[in-house]
Amino acid sequence: MAFVTEIEPKLQTAFDWIDNHRDEAIADLQRLVQQPSVSAQKIGLEECAGLVVEIMRADGLDAKAHPLPGGPPCVFGHVPSDLSPKTMLAYAHYDIQPPEPLDAWTYPPYSAQIAGGRLWGRGATDNKSGVLAFVKAAKAWCQTLGEPPVGLKFITEGEEEIGSPHLGPYIEANPELVQADAMHCLDGGVDTSELAPRVGLGLKSVMFIELIARGANADIHSKNAPLLPQPAWDLVRALNSLVDANRRILVDGWYNEVIELGAEELELLEANAARLDLDKMKEGWGIDQFALGREGVEALKAKSYEPTCNIAGLTSGYQGEGGKTIVPNEARAKLDMRLPPHIDPDKAVERLRRHLVEHGFGDIELVFLTGTPEPPFKISVKEDISQAIIEAAELIFGAPPVVSGVSAEGTILKHVWMPTVLTGFAQPDCNLHAPNESVDLDYYIKGIKYAAAIMWYYGQR
């Protein structure tokens, strides 16, 4: 695609409006960040959904909070357009990660303090700035053009950070709320080395699992160890049966449906390997080399397309200072297992259950923390939504985006299919999911323009 050198006058007018209303956009983001909305702890979710509705309606946009049975409200909206036959679904989430540890924050996590050109607070990047980027972009179009350049639907949910357990059934029962020609999510960032947006053309599905090994009815003095079951060792052996030293998953049939990469995927991998400075990624993570010595195309291929079995948490027995002579009565491990296209999640669940039984670990409890995951998917770089986002990224960030194979959002697509792309504008040092999360305010304003440009270019296709 040729680099965009001229801005269409109507698009420039929208950009000018966004610049002239910068203070409004920042003030509304402060309000949203100051409202706690922690899905894992069920804190402030109804209040935050109500605030999203309030902001959208104040900006002249249709918005309504729909209570989800068993879960927090989901905000839906619809702004039709006579300028395009297409409708684009804008997905975002208002829930956030827990802010702990609180003493690691320079500014309180709900202060929305502005300092050093940034707004500091939990959710500033993930994903409250993304929520408002859609809203303010749509308002810019309505204020300058009278309507958006493409029909818009909005969905802003409150459980993304815990796997959206209640969204799927509601969408299945109410598909008309999200039916559209394409969806995109402003829940990503810019590449560390290029400072251009990353664009994901699909989903690695995620199974969130807890393995629980149990023994006696309480912790028992370790002098009795020869006579007792030892759940910690049982769990270690079970975990060791899942992967080999090269990270290959040992569950029978796990790789049966893994996607065969075609010319399009290989071309993107090779282009990114030639362009990106992967050493900056290592430096940011504080490591000298990638696992298994991977570099270049092989590293990027593994990141996008390789199935994973990650131990995210592991605990058993006494964790305090000094020693304690016990045989713990329980051991737990939290895993996330990422499934690239086209692994069937239902088959993966059954394969994992069967593996544990066949390897002598049938007594270990297997808990799927968010139920059966959504199916993984992949779309072509040639889709209209893909091309619109690439064109918008080049215009706003001055460089082609980093287009990769797969990323996220699949809960909706399990019930209503449409081409979907994940992208975003978060700066590399935004600390999402960590203390001192922040959003660079210049990136935030760029993000609003990015959303506006995506709306424009998709409506023109």
Side-chain angles (χ1 to χ4, degrees):
M1 169 179 289
F3 181 70
V4 179
T5 56
E6 295 184 6
I7 303 178
E8 207 280 339
K10 292 177 181 176
L11 187 53
Q12 184 61 61
T13 301
F15 289 170
D16 291 341
W17 188 96
I18 291 166
D19 285 330
N20 292 334
H21 293 80
R22 176 187 176 101
D23 291 346
E24 172 195 312
I26 293 171
D28 278 347
L29 182 57
Q30 282 187 293
R31 293 175 63 200
L32 204 55
V33 171
Q34 287 165 351
Q35 171 58 59
S37 50
V38 185
S39 51
Q41 301 167 346
K42 296 181 172 61
I43 294 174
L45 299 174
E46 289 191 11
E47 294 85 350
C48 195
L51 181 55
V52 172
V53 170
E54 180 184 328
I55 291 172
M56 290 181 68
R57 288 179 176 173
D59 285 349
L61 306 178
D62 171 64
K64 182 179 180 182
H66 292 229
L68 303 191
C74 187
V75 178
F76 293 93
H78 184 201
V79 182
S81 174
D82 291 328
L83 301 178
S84 170
K86 293 180 178 177
T87 297
M88 185 178 74
L89 178 64
Y91 168 91
H93 65 93
Y94 65 80
D95 68 314
I96 57 176
Q97 286 282 320
E100 288 81 5
L102 299 179
D103 59 1
W105 288 79
T106 301
Y107 306 102
Y110 301 122
S111 66
Q113 176 72 41
I114 294 176
R118 298 184 180 216
L119 189 154
W120 301 82
R122 175 58 84 229
T125 284
D126 187 15
N127 177 234
K128 292 182 178 181
S129 57
V131 171
L132 291 186
F134 283 130
V135 172
K136 299 303 179 183
K139 181 179 182 180
W141 283 119
C142 291
Q143 291 293 312
T144 61
L145 200 60
E147 58 185 323
V150 67
L152 296 174
K153 287 188 175 181
F154 299 86
I155 174 171
T156 306
E157 64 149 317
E159 289 186 312
E160 190 273 348
E161 297 291 6
I162 58 171
S164 308
H166 297 98
L167 179 62
Y170 194 77
I171 296 300
E172 185 176 20
N174 302 276
E176 71 285 352
L177 291 172
V178 297
Q179 283 172 339
D181 298 291
M183 173 170 66
H184 88 91
C185 319
L186 280 177
D187 195 12
V190 301
D191 186 79
T192 303
S193 64
E194 290 285 312
L195 299 182
R198 293 188 295 265
V199 174
L201 301 180
L203 166 77
K204 259 189 179 181
S205 185
V206 188
M207 294 200 305
F208 294 101
I209 301 162
E210 187 166 27
L211 298 180
I212 308 170
R214 294 189 173 90
N217 59 7
D219 294 347
I220 307 295
H221 197 296
S222 61
K223 70 181 179 181
N224 299 302
L227 306 179
L228 290 166
Q230 294 194 322
W233 279 113
D234 291 341
L235 183 60
V236 167
R237 283 188 283 268
L239 292 170
N240 200 44
S241 78
L242 294 178
V243 297
D244 65 17
N246 291 318
R247 313 262 181 116
R248 185 171 178 83
I249 297 172
L250 300 174
V251 176
D252 188 45
W254 202 257
Y255 294 81
N256 284 2
E257 299 98 11
V258 171
I259 186 173
E260 287 289 334
L261 300 188
E264 182 179 293
E265 291 80 20
L266 293 172
E267 182 179 331
L268 287 173
L269 287 170
E270 290 168 0
N272 287 341
R275 173 185 177 192
L276 302 180
D277 183 355
L278 297 183
D279 288 337
K280 285 190 177 180
M281 185 183 294
K282 298 173 197 171
E283 181 181 343
W285 292 346
I287 60 175
D288 296 326
Q289 62 179 11
F290 293 133
L292 307 177
R294 289 165 165 156
E295 290 291 345
V297 170
E298 286 306 309
L300 296 175
K301 179 181 176 182
K303 185 174 184 291
S304 287
Y305 296 107
E306 185 175 284
T308 63
C309 179
N310 174 59
I311 300 174
L314 186 61
T315 186
S316 181
Y318 179 66
Q319 306 293 329
E321 186 176 351
K324 188 177 184 182
T325 52
I326 59 167
V327 176
N329 76 320
E330 184 179 271
R332 292 173 175 257
K334 290 184 183 291
L335 280 64
D336 62 73
M337 302 183 72
R338 295 183 182 262
L339 313 176
H342 294 113
I343 292 180
D344 184 324
D346 291 314
K347 291 181 180 178
V349 167
E350 291 309 310
R351 286 166 178 159
L352 184 57
R353 291 187 192 279
R354 186 168 61 248
H355 171 91
L356 291 173
V357 171
E358 291 177 350
H359 286 75
F361 305 112
D363 57 341
I364 290 182
E365 186 178 355
L366 178 59
V367 179
F368 291 87
L369 298 177
T370 57
T372 303
E374 66 273 15
F377 75 92
K378 183 174 184 321
I379 69 169
S380 171
V381 72
K382 298 174 184 177
E383 288 278 359
D384 284 352
I385 188 64
S386 306
Q387 289 295 303
I389 287 175
I390 290 170
E391 194 168 1
E394 288 184 341
L395 175 65
I396 301 302
F397 291 87
V402 179
V403 182
S404 60
V406 297
S407 194
E409 156 64 42
T411 303
I412 294 169
L413 306 183
K414 186 175 183 179
H415 306 290
V416 181
W417 168 255
M418 68 194 84
T420 297
V421 178
L422 176 80
T423 187
F425 51 86
Q427 75 276 359
D429 56 349
C430 62
N431 287 338
L432 75 167
H433 290 211
N436 290 326
E437 181 178 352
S438 69
V439 64
D440 182 295
L441 292 175
D442 287 339
Y443 274 78
Y444 172 43
I445 300 304
K446 276 188 175 182
I448 299 171
K449 293 179 180 178
Y450 189 26
I454 292 169
M455 295 171 185
W456 173 261
Y457 287 124
Y458 185 60
Q460 299 300 299
R461 291 187 170 274

